[in-house]
Amino acid sequence: MRIMGIDPGSNVTGYGIIEKTENRLNWVDDGQISPSKKYNFYKKLFYIFSEIKEIINRYQPEEIALEDIFYSKNVKSSIKLGHIRGAIVVASFSMGIPLFEYTPLEVKKAVTGYGAASKSQVKEMVKLILNIEKDISFDSSDALAIAICHANTRR
């Protein structure tokens, strides 16, 4: 089973592709979608939507796992994140790919065993679980962690 994990963000959206074969998880690819800072917010949304569709075409994931909304004190940031998540959901469903959501707490617990783990701890566990030797960004490691969480919790 090929799984795409996505960590949404307005400046950088991380993605990670893994494969689950029996009880093994294997890294396929990871990266970041970074719209130009010159784009207005709506053009950024369309850019993220288009890039997600292109990545789906390239890697053909069978399922997509997305980080669920977490509550923030900054209402404007939360609304923007909701729009970005919406663009990802529409891209996923327009390509016929089922989508699943996980909270940051669920992801951290699934990867590190500790719901308050730091980004560095998550990144190191992701690299260990997937046997990744290269350095990866926090956006990529978060996306891969979401994919790992889905792979280990899906029925």
Side-chain angles (χ1 to χ4, degrees):
M1 155 125 344
R2 189 167 276 194
I3 301 166
M4 179 178 182
I6 304 174
D7 179 36
S10 59
N11 294 322
V12 178
T13 292
Y15 70 89
I17 312 289
I18 65 169
E19 261 180 7
K20 182 174 186 175
T21 317
E22 296 175 11
N23 290 329
R24 289 191 48 139
L25 296 178
N26 297 300
W27 171 84
V28 175
D29 196 16
D30 65 84
Q32 300 84 42
I33 299 167
S34 302
S36 171
K37 292 183 190 305
K38 294 178 183 179
Y39 289 175
N40 69 31
F41 182 69
Y42 301 111
K43 192 165 183 178
K44 285 182 182 185
L45 278 178
F46 184 72
Y47 182 83
I48 292 167
F49 168 82
S50 300
E51 289 295 304
I52 292 293
K53 285 182 68 170
E54 194 277 318
I55 294 164
I56 290 170
N57 273 330
R58 186 179 331 141
Y59 293 104
Q60 300 293 306
E62 295 166 69
E63 296 178 344
I64 293 176
L66 176 64
E67 186 174 68
D68 201 356
I69 290 179
F70 59 94
Y71 298 100
S72 161
K73 291 181 182 177
N74 187 332
V75 175
K76 191 173 182 180
S77 293
S78 293
I79 291 171
K80 280 186 175 184
L81 185 58
H83 281 76
I84 292 160
R85 292 181 75 258
I88 293 165
V89 168
V90 171
S92 170
F93 279 86
S94 74
M95 302 294 287
I97 312 295
L99 186 120
F100 302 84
E101 297 176 305
Y102 298 93
T103 66
L105 177 69
E106 289 173 311
V107 173
K108 289 176 184 180
K109 283 179 85 172
V111 174
T112 68
Y114 177 58
S118 70
K119 281 194 170 286
S120 296
Q121 290 170 317
V122 171
K123 180 178 173 178
E124 289 309 310
M125 282 304 296
V126 164
K127 288 176 68 175
L128 185 67
I129 291 167
L130 298 175
N131 197 28
I132 299 172
E133 294 181 11
K134 70 174 187 132
D135 191 33
I136 57 176
S137 71
F138 285 120
D139 298 298
S140 289
S141 67
D142 286 351
L144 289 166
I146 295 162
I148 292 167
C149 176
H150 179 63
N152 290 333
T153 58
R154 70 179 295 282
R155 295 176 189 229

